Amino acid sequence: MTADSELEPNDDEIEDRQLVLGDLLNHVLDKGVVISGDVMISIADIDLLSVELKLVLASVQTALEHNQSTPDADLSLLRSRSGGR
Amino acid sequence: MPTYLFCVLAPAGAEAVPAGLTGIGGTPIRALTAPAPASLEAWVSTITEDALRVSGRDLTAQALLHNEVVNAALALGRTPAPARYGSRFPDDAACVADLTQRAGELRAILDHVAGAVEIPTLLVPRELAAPANERPKPGDPAAGRRYLESLRTRALDADRRRSAAEREASRLRASVGDLVRDEARSFTAAGVMSIAHLVPMAAMGRYRDAVATFVPAEDFRVVAGEPRGPYSFSSPLRSDRSGHDSGSPSHNG
C-alpha cells in the first residue's frame, strides 16, 4: 500500500455509511403510518401527490441509470453501487 | 396552512415535546391530542403550501429532518409510530379527525412497538449484483438470443443471491433469539438484505453484542445501523404479512 492510498478515505467505511443512510431514507420515504391526508413528494421540481412511493423510488433509480448527471438532484444516497458506479 | 404529521404516540404523561424542537421549514413541533376514546397524540408542525416542493439534496435533508423529530420522541423514551415523510393534512382538525377515525389501528401499532426501537442490520454481499443488461444492438443477428440468455442468467443469479441472503438473515435471527420482538426484511436490487429488528430498549446492549459476534458466511459482511423509530412496524399492511416484509426489487439500498 502506498502513502497516497493510505491517505485516501476508507472505501468500505464510506460505502457502509451510504448503505445505512440509503436504507434509512428508504424507510422514511416508504414505511410508517399511512394517513388519509396527502403524501407529497417532489422530485426534480415535479409534484407527485398521493403516489405509490415505491414507484417514485423506482423512477428515480431508472432516471439515474439513464442519465448519470441529474441537474439539481443529488440523489447519490439512493444509488446502489451497481447503479451508481 | 397545512399540518404536517411526523409521528403518532400514546398519550403523554409528563413528557412533552422538547422545547425548541423544530421541523420542516423551521416551524415549531406541537403536540396535537385526539381525545378519548381515541386517546392519541400527534407531533405536528404547520408548514407552508410550498414547504414540501423540494428536490434532490433538499428532499434528502427534509427526510432526515423528519427522522430527527421521530428520534426526539425516542430520546424521551416514548416509542412513536412514525408517519411517512410527506404526510400532511389541510389543517389540525383534519389530522385529529383522521387519528380519531383510525384510533383502533393506530393503538394496535403503538401497543406492538411500545418500549422498543427498530435497529437496522444490512447483510451486504462481498460482490454486489451486476448492472443491468445491455440492450441488443441493431444489426446483430444473435443479439436477441444473447439478450434473452443474459436475462435468464441474471434472474437465476438474483434468485441465488436472495436465497443466500435469506439463509444468512435466518441465521442472524436465530443468533439474536428472544432479544427481538419482531422482524421485517427487504431485499434490494443490488443484493443487499435489509433487516429491521424491533428490539426492546432494555435489550439494546445485548442485541448489539449478539450482532457484533455474529459471523456471516464468507461472501457476506454485516453493516449495523443506528436505532431508529419503528418505520417497518408501523405500516398497516404488516397485519397480513406475518412478521416478514418481503420487500420489493424496486428498493435500492
Side-chain angles (χ1 to χ4, degrees):
Chain A
M1 183 178 287
T2 66
D4 284 347
S5 63
E6 286 174 357
L7 294 175
E8 291 176 358
N10 182 321
D11 285 347
D12 280 348
E13 287 180 3
I14 292 171
E15 182 178 296
D16 287 357
R17 284 202 293 268
Q18 288 183 333
L19 284 169
V20 167
L21 198 48
D23 183 65
L24 172 63
L25 288 172
N26 273 347
H27 281 73
V28 175
L29 293 170
D30 189 35
K31 306 284 185 187
V33 170
V34 179
I35 61 162
S36 300
D38 290 333
V39 173
M40 179 173 182
I41 283 189
S42 299
I43 292 179
D45 298 329
I46 299 170
D47 293 346
L48 304 165
L49 290 168
S50 302
V51 294
E52 173 54 59
L53 296 180
K54 287 179 182 175
L55 182 62
V56 175
L57 294 179
S59 300
V60 171
Q61 181 66 17
T62 301
L64 289 170
E65 287 173 357
H66 285 277
N67 182 5
Q68 291 295 316
S69 60
T70 308
D72 192 32
D74 179 7
L75 294 168
S76 59
L77 295 173
L78 297 177
R79 290 181 191 176
S80 67
R81 181 192 243 180
S82 59
R85 292 184 183 180
Chain B
M1 298 270 276
T3 297
Y4 183 93
L5 175 67
F6 291 89
C7 55
V8 181
L9 302 97
E15 301 287 358
V17 176
L21 183 64
T22 57
I24 290 168
T27 54
I29 306 300
R30 301 176 283 116
L32 272 184
T33 301
S39 297
L40 293 167
E41 180 179 314
W43 283 17
V44 303
S45 68
T46 301
I47 60 171
T48 63
E49 291 287 349
D50 293 337
L52 300 181
R53 293 204 171 101
V54 295
S55 62
R57 192 185 301 273
D58 289 338
L59 173 63
T60 301
Q62 283 198 354
L64 294 177
L65 189 57
H66 176 105
N67 186 58
E68 284 180 18
V69 174
V70 172
N71 281 349
L74 274 181
L76 294 175
R78 302 177 64 189
T79 302
R84 279 189 188 184
Y85 166 82
S87 300
R88 67 174 196 168
F89 296 89
D91 51 32
D92 285 0
C95 181
V96 171
D98 185 52
L99 295 182
T100 302
Q101 184 179 3
R102 299 192 302 136
E105 169 197 330
L106 295 170
R107 291 306 299 261
I109 291 170
L110 288 169
D111 287 346
H112 183 54
V113 302
V117 294
E118 176 174 325
I119 304 184
T121 302
L122 304 177
L123 291 173
V124 184
R126 301 281 178 193
E127 181 185 348
L128 293 177
N133 307 76
E134 287 184 14
R135 297 284 177 183
K137 295 179 176 62
D140 180 353
R145 178 175 55 80
R146 279 203 300 272
Y147 179 60
L148 291 175
E149 285 176 350
S150 72
L151 286 181
R152 179 174 179 275
T153 301
R154 186 173 168 80
L156 290 172
D157 183 58
D159 285 347
R160 180 185 58 79
R161 287 171 175 274
R162 181 168 191 139
S163 296
E166 291 281 3
R167 277 196 303 275
E168 291 308 300
S170 296
R171 286 186 58 237
L172 175 63
R173 178 69 181 83
S175 72
V176 294
D178 57 6
L179 299 174
V180 168
R181 189 184 297 171
D182 200 355
E183 177 184 80
R185 299 177 188 174
S186 55
F187 188 68
T188 75
V192 176
M193 177 63 79
S194 170
I195 304 167
H197 282 152
L198 186 64
V199 180
M201 291 180 186
M204 282 172 55
R206 283 177 290 152
Y207 173 85
R208 284 187 179 283
D209 290 345
V211 171
T213 56
F214 174 73
V215 180
E218 62 183 16
D219 43 353
F220 284 93
R221 61 193 175 91
V222 174
V223 178
E226 292 298 316
R228 63 191 181 205
Y231 292 93
S232 301
F233 308 98
S234 299
S235 300
L237 285 178
R238 281 196 56 78
S239 61
D240 52 25
R241 289 188 185 182
S242 64
H244 273 197
D245 176 0
S246 60
S248 162
S250 65
H251 285 203
N252 292 285

